[in-house]
Amino acid sequence: MLGTLRSDSKLETPDQTREETGGTSVNKDVCSPMRSPSLFCVCIGTGVQVFGMVLGTLILAGLGFLTPLIRGRLVTTMFLLWVFAGLFAGYTSIWLHKAIQGSAASWTIISLRTAVAIPAAVFVIFSAQSTLLGLEKSPAAIPVWTMVKLFIFGSATLIPPVILGGYIGFKKTEPEKPPNPTSELPRVMPGQPLFKHPVLVALVGGIFPYVAVEAEVFNFLSSILHHQFYSSYGFLLLAFFFLAITCSLTTILICYNRLSNDNRSWWWRAFLPAGSSTIIFILFAIYFVLVKLQVTKPVSVALCLGYILIAASAYFLLTGTVGFLACFWFSRLINSTFKTD
């Protein structure tokens, strides 16, 4: 596609360029404003943190440094990698906010939201699970005071790296500038056919990333929910790379199609297609718990659904972030291909 765009940009007349290629007609609006920029930056920053933790864990496990035979090492490593990845999460969220808004005056609030997004959700789910276990008089229930101590320890450990990364992004980075001047007047968006509806496109686009990891998802759920050790980290790392590539290519194709039709509203649309594969992940996980495992007790179902929801949240942010960053890079290449007077 980039080769085609470069050859199209060498056409002699603007009318001929507009007629033969659609990408050139939106080169001035490729980085137009978006809705809810703060929320979007928090999602991308958290997705970068999830990506760093997962990639680091899989590399260490694939090299043999992590083994399921030593209990606690895997969880400890994931926690330390999550803390370290907080630096990149805070930096990315503030850098992206500068790219969208041109400034990041409220960088402390954005960094704080990035730091507590996933930990707060995990804390709420674990608290609800512990309450259900307590009502069932189960010894696995976590005491309230222990939950409070975990919350205090987690806050003191997880928040500072993200704040530091946000501060570095606020002080050291300049706002992202488009290579070509942006249009002062908003472009009128043309009508789109029904089969190009954003919801339908997002749902269809989510099929391909999930297909790339469906086999490993089945093996992983089979091992974990059957209380068995999962040790195929090499195959899981390979599937992770396939997932990242598939998310990137799928989102780039969808974004290019939108830009070719003079539709510049692509920020959230670049995040949602790859992230929508989470819907298939949740449906398959629920099917696996209810049909394959035949879990019928309400408390057991609630516990499994809680863990599935945590995994689905991380999966959604990871795939959506990979798709958006690939699309952002591609849109910059599209914009830099053409020159405007």
Side-chain angles (χ1 to χ4, degrees):
M1 286 190 294
L2 287 175
T4 302
L5 289 171
R6 290 190 179 99
S7 62
D8 289 343
S9 65
K10 297 178 182 179
L11 297 176
E12 297 181 356
T13 63
D15 294 337
Q16 188 180 4
T17 302
R18 182 175 179 85
E19 179 181 355
E20 298 194 17
T21 177
T24 56
S25 63
V26 294
N27 64 86
K28 289 186 177 182
D29 294 323
V30 73
C31 293
S32 299
M34 58 169 298
R35 297 179 179 179
S36 305
S38 298
L39 177 61
F40 186 78
C41 295
V42 170
C43 291
I44 298 299
T46 307
V48 169
Q49 193 171 11
V50 174
F51 181 88
M53 181 198 68
V54 174
L55 180 61
T57 302
L58 292 179
I59 291 176
L60 293 176
L63 295 176
F65 293 104
L66 300 178
T67 172
L69 299 178
I70 303 178
R71 302 184 61 183
R73 177 177 293 184
L74 179 62
V75 177
T76 302
T77 302
M78 293 178 66
F79 179 80
L80 293 177
L81 288 174
W82 179 267
V83 174
F84 177 73
L87 289 170
F88 301 95
Y91 182 90
T92 303
S93 60
I94 301 305
W95 162 78
L96 185 60
H97 196 271
K98 280 188 173 183
I100 296 173
Q101 298 291 93
S103 64
S106 57
W107 69 270
T108 53
I109 298 177
I110 298 175
S111 300
L112 185 61
R113 292 176 179 175
T114 305
V116 302
I118 287 292
V122 172
F123 179 79
V124 170
I125 293 175
F126 279 171
S127 299
Q129 291 177 333
S130 180
T131 301
L132 291 176
L133 292 174
L135 296 176
E136 293 291 326
K137 308 297 182 182
S138 173
I142 303 176
V144 177
W145 177 238
T146 302
M147 293 294 295
V148 173
K149 290 191 291 185
L150 288 175
F151 177 78
I152 296 175
F153 173 76
S155 301
T157 307
L158 301 176
I159 294 179
V162 182
I163 298 295
L164 178 60
Y167 178 78
I168 296 175
F170 176 72
K171 289 293 185 180
K172 300 297 182 180
T173 60
E174 295 295 331
E176 189 79 14
K177 296 181 180 180
N180 296 322
T182 57
S183 176
E184 297 180 359
L185 298 177
R187 185 185 297 273
V188 178
M189 294 298 101
Q192 300 293 324
L194 181 61
F195 67 89
K196 289 187 178 181
H197 193 276
V199 176
L200 181 60
V201 172
L203 293 177
V204 174
I207 296 176
F208 302 101
Y210 180 79
V211 170
V213 294
E214 191 275 335
E216 286 304 314
V217 168
F218 178 81
N219 295 332
F220 185 79
L221 290 177
S222 299
S223 301
I224 299 301
L225 296 180
H226 281 101
H227 302 285
Q228 298 174 352
F229 290 124
Y230 182 86
S231 57
S232 302
Y233 294 111
F235 289 102
L236 191 60
L237 179 60
L238 184 62
F240 179 77
F241 284 124
F242 279 128
L243 175 65
I245 294 172
T246 309
C247 290
S248 301
L249 296 180
T250 302
T251 309
I252 286 175
L253 288 173
I254 293 175
C255 177
Y256 177 77
N257 180 266
R258 295 185 66 84
L259 294 177
S260 298
N261 289 276
D262 284 359
N263 196 327
R264 59 183 171 84
S265 302
W266 64 274
W267 296 88
W268 280 105
R269 270 77 172 184
F271 182 85
L272 295 178
S276 65
S277 61
T278 309
I279 299 176
I280 307 177
F281 174 81
I282 294 175
L283 294 177
F284 177 79
I286 293 175
Y287 166 79
F288 191 89
V289 170
L290 299 180
V291 178
K292 292 292 184 179
L293 298 183
Q294 296 182 352
V295 178
T296 57
K297 193 174 181 180
V299 176
S300 300
V301 173
L303 292 177
C304 292
L305 291 180
Y307 294 127
I308 291 173
L309 185 60
I310 294 174
S313 301
Y315 180 86
F316 173 74
L317 293 172
L318 187 150
T319 53
T321 298
V322 171
F324 167 75
L325 292 179
C327 190
F328 187 84
W329 165 79
F330 184 75
S331 67
R332 295 281 299 171
L333 289 180
I334 290 178
N335 207 353
S336 61
T337 300
F338 308 105
K339 296 181 180 180
T340 57
D341 297 330

